[in-house]
Each structure stands twice: as structure tokens, then as C-alpha cells.
Amino acid sequence: MLETNKPYVICHMLGSVDGRIKQNIWGFKDHHKYFEETAEKIEADAWLVGRVTMQEFSSKETYSLEGDHDSIPKEDFVAEQKAKTYAVVIDPSGKCFWDTNMVSTEHVIEVLTEKVPSGYLAHLRSKNVSYIFGGREELDLDLVLRKLYSLFGMRTVRIDGGGHVNGSFLEAGLIDEFSLVLAPVADGTIGSPTVFEAAEGYENRKATQFKIKSVDRIYDDFLWIRYLVVKDQETGR
């Protein structure tokens, strides 16, 4: 039974038949649509990405963090906002800067560790960007999900990558469903990013198993495969 104190997590990715994430050598002119048009069909309260991916949407400016901001507590900050959907970024060290608190129609939520400088919190507050803390030095992703549930009422979160964020949630046993748009291409590039990039040593653990929920042929030769994660009945992972 699904726990009621954290959201249902769906990881959605566009990948090659050998598990790689999109590269320019794939040769698709409109590769964004294969990912985005399918993602739009997945009902979710938020989409979540890593810091590198989110920097495509955040400010290109670097704001000054100087000043006396020691009075700002390392506590979660829920900004006033009218949006009903959210864009969540896993940004432990606070590297993304913001001109606004929105990405398209979604309100931005930064996921931080307590090692971020107080000046960065002042920057987020000045832009009315919400933020939550997921740990002192490292993130506890289970705690992060629980806070997204309790503070923002999220019931479903869609993870849109990249590979390290996907791998972190996979390693923590926090993915409930995997949605894969399988591109009809073999990449073959050694060392290129893969759909799941887990921490070193993860190969010593049991691999995550899936069962098929649905398969659809789309865009002529693409497959959209949705899997449910097979979880241990005792641990729920």
C-alpha cells in the first residue's frame, strides 16, 4: 500500500536502446517533443530535476551573497505564491540563482543542505523562492519527499533527471514508477551519461526490478514504456 506521508514518484526519461541520455549525435531535430509531450500526459504536482538541468532555466546572472545575513535561520521557507504546480531543484550547495520564483507556470522550490551560506538564503527570499532543507551535510531524499508532501501538499512528483538525480532516488528505493521514452537509436559512446547514474559501489546491491504497466508505440518508431517498480514487501523498497 502506498504510504500517505510522501508523494508517489514517477521517473520520466528519454533514452536510447543502450540506456544513454540524449546526445547531439542522435540526429533528431525535434528531440525535445519526444520527452516533453509525453511528460505533459503524466499528471503530477511537480517536476524535479538536478542542479545542472535546472541551470538551463535559472538566471544567467551571478548575484552577490555578501552582507550580514546571519540572522536568517536554517529553516524551511514556504514563499507566498499562487501556483498549484512546482519546479523542484536538487541543489545541495545552492548554485542556482533566480530572477523570478517561477519556471513557466511552476513555482520554484530549492532543495538545500544546511551548508549553504546565509547570503544565498537571502537571495532566495528576495526573489520569493521557496526552499527546504534535506539534511546538514548530505541530502536525505526520503525526508525531502516528506517535506514536499507536508509543506506543499504534493501527492505525485515527476523526476525528469539527470542521471545522477535519478540514480540517487533509485538507490534510496524511492521511485515508484519509471516512464521511459525509448528512442530508436544506439548511442554506443563510452562514458556518456546514462538514465540512472548511481553512487560507486551500488553494484554490490540488488538491481531494481520492474513490471510493465503499459507499452505504446509513438512517433512511428519510438516506444513509451511505463514500468512499476517491484518493491520488497517487508521494507517497501
Side-chain angles (χ1 to χ4, degrees), residues 41-83:
K41 296 178 181 179
I42 299 174
E43 293 187 9
D45 302 303
W47 51 270
L48 181 151
V49 295
R51 187 262 306 172
V52 173
T53 300
M54 186 60 89
Q55 284 186 312
E56 298 177 17
F57 307 98
S58 60
S59 176
K60 301 304 181 285
E61 293 187 31
T62 299
Y63 287 81
S64 173
L65 304 182
E66 300 298 323
D68 183 10
H69 305 294
D70 293 339
S71 61
I72 300 177
K74 297 291 178 71
E75 298 175 351
D76 303 328
F77 174 69
V78 179
E80 290 188 12
Q81 42 79 27
K82 297 181 180 179

Side-chain angles (χ1 to χ4, degrees), residues 74 91-94 112-121 133 136:
K74 297 291 178 71
D91 188 16
S93 300
L112 311 169
T113 60
E114 293 179 24
K115 64 185 178 182
V116 298
S118 296
Y120 184 71
L121 302 183
F133 290 96
R136 186 177 296 275

